[in-house]
Amino acid sequence: MYFRIDGKKYRVTAIGASAFKGNSKITALRTNSNLEVIEKYAFRGCPALKTVRFSDTVSELGHYSFYNCTALTTINFPNGCNLKLINDNAFTGCTALTEYVIPATVERIGFKIN
């Protein structure tokens, strides 16, 4: 994913803090091959978000990044992903989430489900 400002092309490598916080229209997220970080609160409280598919380049999920996404049922981490850090409460409050597989690459997990 890229965007342009004044004719200059920029690669999107992060979803910023609180970028989509509380958005009630997002139902799915599929990250692209440039994305490396999802910052804190990025998707916090998105009530319609049901599925998340990470690219293999995502290395960090910020604090409370998907907190209280109550419709979230599916998280997909690809084989060979680069995920190293899942920060505190990243998926806390995701009451519909019943199954997930944490990749072997994760060095620190700071969250609980529900």
Side-chain angles (χ1 to χ4, degrees):
M1 178 182 208
Y2 296 90
F3 67 94
R4 291 183 188 274
I5 297 177
D6 296 328
K8 188 171 180 181
K9 189 175 177 181
Y10 295 89
R11 184 171 66 122
V12 176
T13 59
I15 295 176
S18 301
F20 297 96
K21 182 180 174 183
N23 186 307
S24 62
K25 295 182 183 199
I26 296 173
T27 60
L29 170 66
R30 176 179 271 175
T31 66
N32 66 29
S33 62
N34 293 330
L35 195 70
E36 298 169 4
V37 176
I38 296 177
E39 294 183 2
K40 64 184 178 181
Y41 310 117
F43 293 92
R44 180 181 178 155
C46 292
L49 182 61
K50 292 182 182 180
T51 62
V52 176
R53 291 184 164 295
F54 295 103
S55 62
D56 59 358
T57 57
V58 174
S59 62
E60 181 178 347
L61 302 179
H63 298 281
Y64 296 91
S65 50
F66 293 92
Y67 178 83
N68 210 26
C69 291
T70 55
L72 186 61
T73 59
T74 305
I75 303 170
N76 183 294
F77 299 104
N79 291 332
C81 74
N82 192 39
L83 188 63
K84 302 267 189 260
L85 179 60
I86 301 174
N87 279 297
D88 297 337
N89 298 301
F91 295 103
T92 300
C94 298
T95 54
L97 187 59
T98 58
E99 185 175 329
Y100 55 93
V101 176
I102 302 298
T105 57
V106 173
E107 297 170 356
R108 181 181 179 279
I109 302 172
F111 76 91
K112 64 180 181 177
I113 297 294
N114 304 330

